[in-house]
Amino acid sequence: MSITQGERPETDGIDRRGEPPRSRPAVRAAAGLAALLLVLVLLSLLIGTGSSSAARAWDYLRGDPAAHADAQLRLAVMDVRLPRTLAAVLVGVCLGTAGCLLQAATRNPLAETGLLGVNSGAAFAVVLGLTFFGVTSSSGLLLWALLGGMAASAVVLLFAGSGRTAGSPLRLVLAGAALGATFHGMTSYVLLGTQSTFDTYRYWTIGSLAGVEMSDLVPLLPVVAVGLLTAFGCARPLSALGLGDDSARSLGHHPGRVRLVIAAAVSLLAGCAVAVAGPIAFLGLLAPYAARALAGARMAAQLALSALIAADVMILADILARVVIRPWETPVSVLLAFVGGPLLVWIARSSRLSTAGASA
């Protein structure tokens, strides 16, 4: 069939190299989300659960000498609010990017980071550290959670990467689900006989940014950087995978290998997020869905927008967690679940669900 001038073949917005065309609306959306993130960061530094007012915090940030002389104010702004603000951004970026990668690689718009066993592996490692190694510090729990999440994902990749169907979406999901169920059962078994471990584990697993320190975040930055570089490096192969495995092979890509590399990046990013804040539900699922609505089929734009959306939502939820029942604090995961549950039901019932999955 010939194509007359002015007509274009239907390729779902993807060119022959496997890349969708550029989109100005996506750039504008990214700029708006980045500006919103800066505003939320400022609000996060101004608002807290303590007695320090937002006006006093603003005086401190703009360099007022009297405010800088207040040791309690400095503690509140620099040692409490600043680390948890940066932690919220880091966790949001990690979960948003990881969720977008996983949904695109599996072509499943309801996929989330727990599918690779990251959450269950991190939880089991935390329980082991508490019960048998006497780990009590936040930095110690963070390290155990990170190692556990990455180890669980490594086992999933080992199983998913073997055999003739290596790297297939179904194999990744099945391996992750099986390993997650195994770790969950082992975690429950250990917790049954240790009440003290259960009390600490319950606080960690509820999902919160309270108590995060700067020393907890700095060691994770190289891991996050590697995960993000890998994620954006896979943008072109992922765009090709959106056309189907056969089309991706014809464009010179190897779908199985691409999915395994993506799963490794997801493991790094989700492992860091879980280590900092505990298991956070819904964020890695909802942010990519919103990013696809804004960016269309362009994969690099989806990744960037998903990271920004998740960071905005995470920091906003953390701000609300401080003021909803002030002077006490609500776990940020509770607020995200309260909003994410109804949204997930709406997405599942949406007529655009199959389209969203295809474009991923």
Side-chain angles (χ1 to χ4, degrees), residues 113-127:
T113 54
L115 283 179
L116 290 185
V118 176
N119 294 350
S120 56
F124 181 60
V126 166
V127 169

Side-chain angles (χ1 to χ4, degrees), residues 37 83 91 135 147 160 202 213 296 318 332 335:
L37 181 61
V91 170
V135 178
L147 294 177
R202 181 176 55 184
E213 300 177 357
D318 187 49
V332 67
L335 292 176

Side-chain angles (χ1 to χ4, degrees), residues 155-240:
V155 175
V156 171
L157 292 178
L158 181 64
F159 283 113
S162 60
R164 290 187 297 178
T165 57
S168 70
L170 180 60
R171 197 176 181 90
L172 278 171
V173 172
L174 288 178
L179 190 67
T182 301
F183 276 137
H184 180 73
M186 296 168 67
T187 300
S188 299
Y189 174 77
V190 175
L191 287 174
L192 284 176
T194 51
Q195 181 64 38
S196 59
T197 297
F198 178 76
D199 292 337
T200 306
Y201 169 77
R202 181 176 55 184
Y203 175 79
W204 175 84
T205 196
I206 200 171
S208 175
L209 294 173
V212 174
E213 300 177 357
M214 196 68 72
S215 59
D216 298 331
L217 302 178
V218 173
L220 296 179
L221 295 181
V223 181
V224 173
V226 171
L228 291 176
L229 289 174
T230 305
F232 283 91
C234 290
R236 180 178 294 183
L238 271 178
S239 296

Side-chain angles (χ1 to χ4, degrees), residues 1 14 27 34 63 76 105 181 183-184 200 209 227 263 284 309 324-325 327 337:
M1 182 180 66
I14 299 177
V27 175
F183 276 137
H184 180 73
T200 306
L209 294 173
I309 291 169
V324 169
I325 55 173

Side-chain angles (χ1 to χ4, degrees), residues 57-141:
W58 173 249
D59 290 339
Y60 182 90
L61 292 177
R62 66 185 183 87
D64 182 78
H68 275 256
D70 189 338
Q72 183 178 2
L73 181 61
R74 185 187 187 286
L75 176 68
V77 175
M78 301 304 295
D79 296 339
V80 176
R81 297 177 193 172
L82 179 60
R84 71 182 296 168
T85 298
L86 296 178
V89 175
L90 183 144
V91 170
V93 168
C94 287
L95 290 179
T97 306
C100 187
L101 285 174
L102 196 57
Q103 291 183 16
T106 62
R107 294 199 291 273
N108 180 359
L110 296 181
E112 53 93 24
T113 54
L115 283 179
L116 290 185
V118 176
N119 294 350
S120 56
F124 181 60
V126 166
V127 169
L128 289 181
L130 289 169
T131 305
F132 300 109
F133 296 91
V135 178
T136 56
S137 65
S138 59
S139 59
L141 292 178

